[in-house]
Amino acid sequence: MRILVLARKPSLYSHARLVEAAKKRGHEIRIVNTLRCYMNISSHRPEVRYQGERLEGFDAVIPRIGASITFYGMAVVRQFEMQGVYCVNESVAIGRSRDKLRSLQLLARKGIGLPVTGFAHSPGDSDDLIRIAGGAPLVIKLLEGTHGRGVVLADTYNAAKSVIESFGALDAYFMTQEFIKEAGGADIRAFVIGGKVVAAMKRQGKKGEFRSNLHRGGSATAIRITPEERSTAVRAAKTLGLNIAGVDMLRSNHGPVVMEVNSSPGLEGIEGATGKDIAGAIIEFIEKNARPNRTRTKGKG
Ligand code: ADP
């Protein structure tokens, strides 16, 4: 097969591993910088071009679209979809996963466990927003944060109020969320490929830190997840329409709750923690599923 990876940095561990795994399985694979792709949007012959060349003849596209370029990346993926090229995660699903509010709404509609969450722009109704999240302590998050930036644990009502006021002053959207204390500073990342959890890890924040992000010094270990966690992760990926997803959950005393579903989950942490060949599993999934005109928008909303 001929596989195209849309990614900005070929040297990143995840991208290098995809190239290695594809070559090992006898495929041709190429990485192009998503932001350097440009398009000819004509109705009869949609094209994606790169340095003067038409990108064509690919059997599959693996989109690895970073959060900061979602808007443009989705347009490039969409352009391949219009040509009938199989995209392992489709553009609409990527868009859903990137919009935290939209994904939480979709997951809630399917009855998937979520932390109780309030969402607002104006800090004017902070009392009610704090109440929705069950009062202090509560977690307050900026909608646009990544790697745990903009995620604050407010221990007291007054702290919560001043965090909300300062987020409000930034003119930013924010969420108030029930604090899942019993998660003990750990979360679970389940890696889903084609409706199955292929690997799972537990990320534990460093001492005194409630955020488990590896970028903040958290550590990852392989973990056996429960059947309920497994089915929650699979349903979450399916609800958003993602074939490949990293589903982040917290272990709450009312069962697993989903925090986020990632459409370009990193491979380094999960392969390192579990010793599994996730890149190989992605390529294998593509071998089984890539057919022209097979990318279809699944789900609603
Ligand atoms: P980001 O997308 O920036 O990583 P998250 O929403 O995933 O932000 O939050 C970062 C970390 O903070 C999570 O991995 C988790 O460990 C912790 N965390 C987030 N929300 C909660 C919550 N409601 N209760 C307990 N811990 C939380």
Side-chain angles (χ1 to χ4, degrees):
M1 288 199 306
R2 289 189 71 215
I3 303 170
L4 182 71
V5 182
L6 291 174
R8 284 176 78 190
K9 290 199 195 101
S11 59
L12 269 192
Y13 176 92
S14 303
H15 308 150
R17 282 285 297 125
L18 286 166
V19 169
E20 187 185 27
K23 285 189 176 157
K24 199 166 147 201
R25 299 179 69 91
H27 304 298
E28 220 180 281
I29 185 162
R30 178 171 170 194
I31 301 188
V32 298
N33 181 339
T34 321
L35 282 184
R36 294 292 304 273
C37 293
Y38 52 99
M39 293 158 264
N40 175 350
I41 309 180
S42 61
S43 58
H44 54 289
R45 198 167 177 261
E47 279 188 4
V48 181
R49 303 186 66 81
Y50 185 78
Q51 297 181 338
E53 164 205 7
R54 181 177 181 182
L55 292 174
E56 61 187 342
F58 292 99
D59 301 295
V61 169
I62 306 179
R64 302 283 312 179
I65 310 292
S68 60
I69 64 154
T70 301
F71 169 74
Y72 193 75
M74 283 194 311
V76 177
V77 176
R78 205 153 48 227
Q79 190 81 354
F80 280 108
E81 288 167 357
M82 288 194 296
Q83 295 173 29
V85 180
Y86 177 79
C87 298
V88 69
N89 272 341
E90 47 124 2
S91 57
V92 173
I94 295 170
R96 288 183 187 126
S97 74
R98 281 296 153 73
D99 180 338
K100 274 195 192 174
L101 178 60
R102 183 179 179 193
S103 32
L104 292 182
Q105 286 173 319
L106 291 169
L107 297 172
R109 190 167 70 187
K110 290 283 179 196
I112 293 168
L114 302 172
V116 178
T117 304
F119 177 81
H121 179 266
S122 160
D125 296 298
S126 55
D127 287 348
D128 208 19
L129 286 161
I130 294 170
R131 190 192 53 77
I132 289 173
L138 72 154
V139 175
I140 307 172
K141 300 184 185 182
L142 277 180
L143 192 64
E144 299 289 336
T146 51
H147 303 325
R149 270 187 300 255
V151 179
V152 179
L153 173 60
D155 281 317
T156 62
Y157 173 86
N158 284 338
K161 224 169 148 81
S162 55
V163 171
I164 291 175
E165 271 160 23
S166 43
F167 281 0
L170 295 174
D171 200 22
Y173 297 100
F174 62 90
M175 296 186 269
T176 54
Q177 200 162 68
E178 104 185 84
F179 174 48
I180 311 291
K181 184 164 191 274
E182 60 274 24
D187 75 353
I188 293 171
R189 156 68 58 97
F191 204 105
V192 178
I193 302 179
K196 288 195 189 78
V197 175
V198 296
M201 63 176 168
K202 178 178 171 176
R203 294 177 297 201
Q204 179 75 55
K206 57 180 189 212
K207 211 167 176 294
E209 171 62 81
F210 83 103
R211 295 167 296 183
S212 57
N213 303 70
L214 301 182
H215 288 97
R216 313 203 74 85
S219 57
T221 45
I223 190 181
R224 260 190 97 78
I225 58 173
T226 65
E228 192 189 5
E229 287 160 353
R230 199 169 278 274
S231 78
T232 299
V234 168
R235 285 172 64 218
K238 184 163 181 245
T239 300
L240 299 190
L242 293 166
N243 288 319
I244 296 179
V247 182
D248 294 343
M249 297 175 282
L250 294 169
R251 281 186 163 162
S252 83
N253 47 26
H254 47 94
V257 290
V258 174
M259 278 185 303
E260 195 174 13
V261 182
N262 197 312
S263 53
S264 292
L267 302 184
E268 189 166 12
I270 194 90
E271 287 194 338
T274 65
K276 290 192 177 161
D277 177 10
I278 307 298
I282 292 174
I283 302 298
E284 208 178 316
F285 175 79
I286 292 172
E287 286 167 5
K288 292 201 182 108
N289 291 281
R291 307 276 179 281
N293 299 308
R294 208 165 175 190
T295 306
R296 222 164 277 134
T297 298
K298 299 174 201 93
K300 284 185 245 160

